[in-house]
Amino acid sequence: MRRMLITAACLGVLAATAACGGGAAPALPTDQAGPAGQPPASSAEPEAVTADPPMAFDTSKGVALPRTALQANMGGSVTSKFMTLRDRTGYIIAPESLSAVDVLTGREKWNTRIEGPAADPNAHKGPFVEQSGPRPPLVTDQLAVGAVPLRMPEQGTTPGYLALAVIAVNPQTGAKVWQTNTKIADDQYGISGDRSVTHVVAATGKAVIASFAQSEGNLTVALDPATGKQLWVRKDYDAGSVNGDVVVGVDSNVAENESMVQATALDIATGQQKWVGAAKSSAVEILPADPAMVVLKANEYSSGHAFLKFLDAATGAEKFSVEGTRNLGPDSYGDCLYDEQSVLACTDSGVLTAYDAKAGTKLWSLPDQAANRVAPGGLTVAWHGALYGYTNGRQPIVLDAKTGKDLSTEVGFVPDWVSKYAAAGVDQDGSPKAYPVKK
């Protein structure tokens, strides 16, 4: 592999969606829901209990979701997510369609087909995290947007090619607003046997930003949000976040050394370069965080040391930096989750630390020997001031994101998605399931 790149794992920083996270979660309890993957036939919409953030979920009222919502390993832990949970609707991207399901009833609300042959039709299969496939769609009040690769066949003497398809639909009705196909490579089979990721980074009033990334080439495109018309395209660039009018991504076009990467900021409307950060790195990952602050993980090219860096979104100036406690490769700093309000929580070598995502300062950390408290066994999702995960004894728990204090030990199960209406995760057999808010 010519370069070692890490792409953003949790996308859509500006959308008002539920946060997504990582970490292995214990299996969910069994309940009285229908067969796995078969939503109930009833289309009734029950009165919903809401909480922001919720402290417990009703595991006696589980609802099966489409299997295309996620991918789980044999241990019952989510390995890949293809769904975005927003209020009581789950938006699911598949190689051939974008759909929406009511997570309180299991009823499909709409299913909009993506025009063109899927380049990676088996992207939802396999137990591994680093597989090819689309990342969850990005949803705003105006648009639900997904991205997938298409294999465009030859037409007579016109050769076929590989394309990045971006589809935008009305989030309430599923009516297609536009679909734009951007040529990625001349070889329509260019992703065969190679890991590739397609994702939508943001949808603002100025542009929809989407990227295609694989080991031997990245591409980011900016599209007009009303028409889908291409505004600009940049090769060797994998966008990771939009911070105001600035797009920040992993740039592999580094003249100094082809093995290096850097964080490069572009103007969202024109694609013009604004600033460069984390230069001389062997790997960079852009993390979801507050729009005023760019947060990234970077490995120094010379030493291999991993750092968590907070940069000013307007200038790229470094505001705060923390060095990782171990050196085990490009992801050695650990996993980080943003609560979509003000806190970034990161786990590194068994230490959980929370940072103010707006100021780039440390808030608290666990374990805390003085208070006789240990770090949780893992976190799976952060949302609206709450951190959801499990204890070392595999029991569900909720922590206060700003203080680290225990908020609830009566959660019911360990979620991978949370909204004010429900939470979703996997059942014991690895099937997607949603549970309504209890309190």
Side-chain angles (χ1 to χ4, degrees), residues 71-201:
Q71 206 164 268
N73 58 25
M74 297 184 65
S77 299
V78 174
T79 60
S80 295
K81 300 177 180 180
F82 307 110
M83 183 178 79
T84 294
L85 178 60
R86 195 169 194 256
D87 292 335
R88 59 182 291 169
T89 303
Y91 298 85
I92 302 172
I93 185 69
E96 71 289 334
S97 66
L98 180 61
S99 62
V101 60
D102 186 324
V103 298
L104 296 186
T105 66
R107 178 176 59 87
E108 185 175 83
K109 301 173 71 173
W110 48 261
N111 189 309
T112 305
R113 186 165 184 80
I114 299 170
E115 296 181 14
D120 198 0
N122 298 316
H124 282 65
K125 298 179 181 179
F128 306 109
V129 178
E130 295 295 346
Q131 77 213 31
S132 299
R135 293 304 181 249
L138 187 142
V139 186
T140 70
D141 290 340
Q142 290 76 37
L143 295 175
V145 191
V148 298
L150 295 183
R151 181 172 290 140
M152 308 305 291
E154 63 181 12
Q155 298 290 332
T157 57
T158 302
Y161 61 94
L162 185 68
L164 170 65
V166 182
I167 181 173
V169 307
N170 181 301
Q172 285 76 44
T173 67
K176 184 183 290 188
V177 180
W178 48 261
Q179 177 180 328
T180 298
N181 302 334
T182 301
K183 184 177 180 179
I184 300 171
D186 292 330
D187 182 5
Q188 61 176 304
Y189 300 100
I191 65 172
S192 298
D194 192 10
R195 183 181 72 86
S196 64
V197 172
T198 54
H199 61 274
V200 181
V201 181

Side-chain angles (χ1 to χ4, degrees), residues 17-360:
T17 61
C20 61
L28 304 182
T30 57
D31 52 57
Q32 303 301 314
Q38 299 297 320
S42 172
S43 61
E45 296 188 358
E47 292 187 11
V49 176
T50 61
D52 188 0
M55 293 293 105
F57 306 96
D58 192 341
T59 56
S60 69
K61 298 179 180 179
V63 173
L65 300 177
R67 285 189 176 271
T68 50
L70 59 84
Q71 206 164 268
N73 58 25
M74 297 184 65
S77 299
V78 174
T79 60
S80 295
K81 300 177 180 180
F82 307 110
M83 183 178 79
T84 294
L85 178 60
R86 195 169 194 256
D87 292 335
R88 59 182 291 169
T89 303
Y91 298 85
I92 302 172
I93 185 69
E96 71 289 334
S97 66
L98 180 61
S99 62
V101 60
D102 186 324
V103 298
L104 296 186
T105 66
R107 178 176 59 87
E108 185 175 83
K109 301 173 71 173
W110 48 261
N111 189 309
T112 305
R113 186 165 184 80
I114 299 170
E115 296 181 14
D120 198 0
N122 298 316
H124 282 65
K125 298 179 181 179
F128 306 109
V129 178
E130 295 295 346
Q131 77 213 31
S132 299
R135 293 304 181 249
L138 187 142
V139 186
T140 70
D141 290 340
Q142 290 76 37
L143 295 175
V145 191
V148 298
L150 295 183
R151 181 172 290 140
M152 308 305 291
E154 63 181 12
Q155 298 290 332
T157 57
T158 302
Y161 61 94
L162 185 68
L164 170 65
V166 182
I167 181 173
V169 307
N170 181 301
Q172 285 76 44
T173 67
K176 184 183 290 188
V177 180
W178 48 261
Q179 177 180 328
T180 298
N181 302 334
T182 301
K183 184 177 180 179
I184 300 171
D186 292 330
D187 182 5
Q188 61 176 304
Y189 300 100
I191 65 172
S192 298
D194 192 10
R195 183 181 72 86
S196 64
V197 172
T198 54
H199 61 274
V200 181
V201 181
T204 74
K206 291 188 175 182
V208 170
I209 306 296
S211 286
F212 171 89
Q214 65 178 6
S215 59
E216 291 301 322
N218 303 326
L219 178 143
T220 291
V221 61
L223 306 171
D224 183 276
T227 65
K229 180 181 178 181
Q230 185 181 114
L231 300 177
W232 54 265
V233 62
R234 179 153 173 157
K235 294 183 178 180
D236 299 321
Y237 184 82
D238 183 20
S241 71
V242 169
N243 302 70
D245 292 335
V246 172
V247 181
V248 184
V250 180
D251 188 356
S252 55
N253 188 10
V254 180
E256 183 176 351
N257 188 323
E258 68 174 14
S259 297
M260 291 182 181
V261 294
Q262 62 192 20
T264 298
L266 310 176
D267 182 274
I268 191 172
T270 66
Q272 181 180 3
Q273 185 166 310
K274 307 293 287 186
W275 52 260
V276 171
K280 299 183 179 180
S281 295
S282 59
V284 172
E285 178 182 355
I286 313 296
L287 302 176
D290 187 84
M293 192 78 69
V294 175
V295 183
L296 53 86
K297 294 190 290 185
N299 280 53
E300 287 186 346
Y301 182 80
S302 58
S303 68
H305 291 178
F307 289 87
L308 182 69
K309 296 178 178 290
F310 293 76
L311 310 180
D312 181 88
T315 66
E318 186 174 304
K319 297 293 186 180
F320 185 70
S321 179
V322 184
E323 184 173 1
T325 58
R326 57 177 176 165
N327 180 26
L328 297 178
D331 199 30
S332 59
Y333 185 84
D335 296 321
C336 296
L337 299 173
Y338 176 52
D339 76 342
E340 297 189 28
Q341 286 188 339
S342 63
V343 178
L344 185 72
C346 300
T347 302
D348 176 36
S349 298
V351 178
L352 173 62
T353 306
Y355 301 94
D356 186 318
K358 298 178 183 292

Side-chain angles (χ1 to χ4, degrees), residues 404-415:
K405 303 298 183 183
D406 294 356
L407 287 180
S408 175
T409 57
E410 302 175 327
V411 193
F413 81 110
V414 179

